[in-house]
Amino acid sequence: MEWHKAKNIMLALLILVNLVLLGSRAYMSSTERREQHAAAAGAVEYLNTIGITLEPALIPLQSPERSLCIIPRNRDAESAFAELLLGSSEPQVGGSIDRYASDSGQVVWRHGGQVEVQSPEVPTAETLMSKLENCRADGQLLTQEIDGLPVFNCTLEVMEGKTIHGRWCFGEPALLDNKSEMTAAGLLIAYGGAVRNAPPAEITALDYGYVVQSVPTVGVRLVPVLRLTADGESVYLNALDGEVLIVE
């Protein structure tokens, strides 16, 4: 009987501890959400003071928590892509430019992921999308994705039976710097400070993604960004420091 009572007490204590932990987690989550909403409201208020309109609901409350990465050039994957389009072909490698040619056409890969394809057998964008991993389609335009987010300047324009041109970077990202990204609210305040002398009238969209920058002899640097659409134009903010990026 005594052991039975002791066991019941232990079970009750375990349940109580679990309830306390759940309550603590809920409180912390609630506090975090309040802080996020307060930061977003503060960013909107600051932008309003310099003449920029922004709907608070557009501001992402949580960042994807990314860091700076590098993608080494993957010539094997480029060769496989060329073979997919041309069949068997002999590469002509010259410095940073690789050329593949066959009776079906030509594929030219340049350092930094730039690619040009000329072939009467160029597939449709839908067919090519099924052959490439991690991408999204918008008509004839394919956009590369990494971890579900778009790489804004890695796109292929597909003209069926004619050409493919644009940029695509094969390979796995490798961590280059573990500096964490800023919150969207912090990025917006940094942007407002940069444009306060000539601000846009309205910010209409905010989208997380990446851009790539060429790194000589290595491949590309993968930079996490927040794309800001203001007065119909896109601005790319480095999510690590808030600097406006010039996109290649």
Side-chain angles (χ1 to χ4, degrees):
M1 180 67 69
E2 292 301 322
W3 166 243
H4 179 71
K5 291 181 178 179
K7 186 170 66 173
N8 288 339
I9 292 172
M10 291 174 63
L11 288 173
L13 287 173
L14 287 173
I15 293 172
L16 180 61
V17 168
N18 285 331
L19 289 173
V20 170
L21 289 174
L22 287 172
S24 176
R25 180 178 297 178
Y27 175 76
M28 291 174 64
S29 296
S30 176
T31 300
E32 184 179 6
R33 285 195 298 271
R34 286 197 300 271
E35 290 174 348
Q36 291 167 342
H37 282 289
V44 170
E45 183 178 355
Y46 170 69
L47 293 174
N48 283 337
T49 64
I50 59 177
I52 303 175
T53 299
L54 171 62
E55 288 294 328
L58 293 177
I59 302 177
L61 296 181
Q62 291 185 320
S63 70
E65 299 182 357
R66 303 162 295 170
S67 297
L68 186 66
C69 293
I70 195 163
I71 303 177
R73 183 175 182 180
N74 189 333
R75 279 187 156 99
D76 290 340
E78 293 174 0
S79 176
F81 179 84
E83 185 173 348
L84 173 69
L85 297 173
L86 305 180
S88 180
S89 59
E90 289 296 326
Q92 298 176 1
V93 180
S96 63
I97 302 176
D98 294 358
R99 291 181 172 86
Y100 301 82
S102 75
D103 293 340
S104 299
Q106 176 178 263
V107 176
V108 178
W109 280 101
R110 290 180 169 80
H111 185 78
Q114 299 289 348
V115 62
E116 299 171 11
V117 180
Q118 293 182 339
S119 172
E121 299 179 12
V122 165
T124 63
E126 183 178 359
T127 300
L128 187 60
M129 182 181 177
S130 68
K131 304 295 184 181
L132 293 168
E133 296 181 352
N134 304 318
C135 64
R136 64 179 64 175
D138 182 9
Q140 298 301 107
L141 196 68
L142 301 182
T143 300
Q144 186 171 0
E145 291 185 331
I146 292 179
D147 296 331
L149 295 174
V151 185
F152 293 117
N153 61 339
C154 277
T155 61
L156 296 177
E157 185 175 6
V158 182
M159 303 299 292
E160 180 183 354
K162 295 181 180 180
T163 63
I164 300 172
H165 68 273
R167 180 183 227 160
W168 208 264
C169 297
F170 294 104
E172 290 296 323
L175 186 65
L176 190 62
D177 188 331
N178 60 4
K179 180 180 179 180
S180 299
E181 66 180 290
M182 299 167 59
T183 64
L187 291 169
L188 287 167
I189 290 173
Y191 171 74
V195 301
R196 61 180 304 116
N197 293 328
E202 183 178 13
I203 296 172
T204 54
L206 296 169
D207 301 288
Y208 280 122
Y210 297 94
V211 299
V212 294
Q213 300 171 325
S214 296
V215 180
T217 73
V218 177
V220 295
R221 183 184 295 110
L222 183 68
V223 184
V225 299
L226 178 67
R227 183 177 68 179
L228 182 152
T229 304
D231 292 354
E233 296 185 354
S234 294
V235 177
Y236 299 89
L237 303 179
N238 185 328
L240 304 177
D241 58 21
E243 293 293 322
V244 176
L245 292 179
I246 298 175
V247 176
E248 303 171 1

